[in-house]
Amino acid sequence: MTVMRRAVEFLFTRLIRSRLGIALGIAVLVLGVISTARLVGGPSDLTAGLSSRPREPITTVDPEAGDDGVIATPAPESPRTRPGELTPEQTATRFTTAWLGGGTATAEQWQASLRPLSTPELTEKLSGAEPAGVPAEKVTGTPTLRPRTAVFAEVLVPLESGQLRLELVAPDGRWLVDAVDWERE
């Protein structure tokens, strides 16, 4: 009995606590997991034995229903304008004229000419701007309207040295410029 007791003591006190013992324990654990997975997983060759695999691909779209491609986006609504108010194009044209016409005006006069056509947020952003910082002098074409929704539109105005992009909003039917972006050519 003492030999068995000494063997068990040696196993638990020295061998299992050593690096070799831990490595052997991990190896036995990994082999056990792999063996269990193979037993539960079934045959490795899908053609061998019974298989519940379908013979044809599984489809989730009815082939008779038509095109299953990308859903087409509907055309944006036309911009809505309150009766007696400016259209988005008219607002953009007047804003561009005021924006370009500040060459001889003071900063306060220039900002005052933009204020009735701008949202309060844009007016605040332009509060430190100077008319001398405008990178163009004249319009070279007609504005292009890109309606996004009934109350949001984008207008592109071609200028001699680039393109002015204005974002207009009309939450109450009155169109105001909300953002100004400059694209140099």
Side-chain angles (χ1 to χ4, degrees), residues 15-175:
L15 186 62
I16 291 181
R17 291 187 179 178
S18 71
R19 289 182 186 171
L20 179 64
I22 292 174
L24 287 174
I26 291 174
V28 168
L29 182 67
V30 168
L31 288 174
V33 169
I34 290 173
S35 300
T36 304
R38 285 191 177 207
L39 285 174
V40 173
S44 61
D45 183 14
L46 293 178
T47 58
L50 298 174
S51 173
S52 62
R53 186 174 62 150
R55 293 182 183 195
E56 295 179 13
I58 299 172
T59 60
T60 58
V61 178
D62 182 9
E64 309 294 321
D67 184 16
D68 63 345
V70 177
I71 298 173
T73 56
E77 296 180 49
S78 328
R80 277 185 274 159
T81 304
R82 195 168 53 193
E85 296 291 340
L86 299 173
T87 64
E89 297 94 334
Q90 293 170 331
T91 302
T93 301
R94 288 192 183 176
F95 182 89
T96 303
T97 303
W99 191 65
L100 294 174
T104 59
T106 65
E108 293 80 23
Q109 292 170 335
W110 179 65
Q111 290 171 7
S113 67
L114 297 175
R115 194 170 294 120
L117 301 166
S118 307
T119 60
E121 292 82 12
L122 180 61
T123 302
E124 185 178 325
K125 287 178 186 176
L126 293 174
S127 64
E130 294 285 331
V134 174
E137 294 180 7
K138 65 178 181 173
V139 177
T140 60
T142 57
T144 304
L145 176 68
R146 291 183 181 171
R148 301 295 186 212
T149 66
V151 295
F152 177 69
E154 183 179 73
V155 178
L156 303 173
V157 183
L159 303 174
E160 85 276 1
S161 59
Q163 187 170 3
L164 181 64
R165 188 176 65 82
L166 304 173
E167 291 181 3
L168 288 86
V169 294
D172 61 352
R174 180 172 178 252
W175 288 95

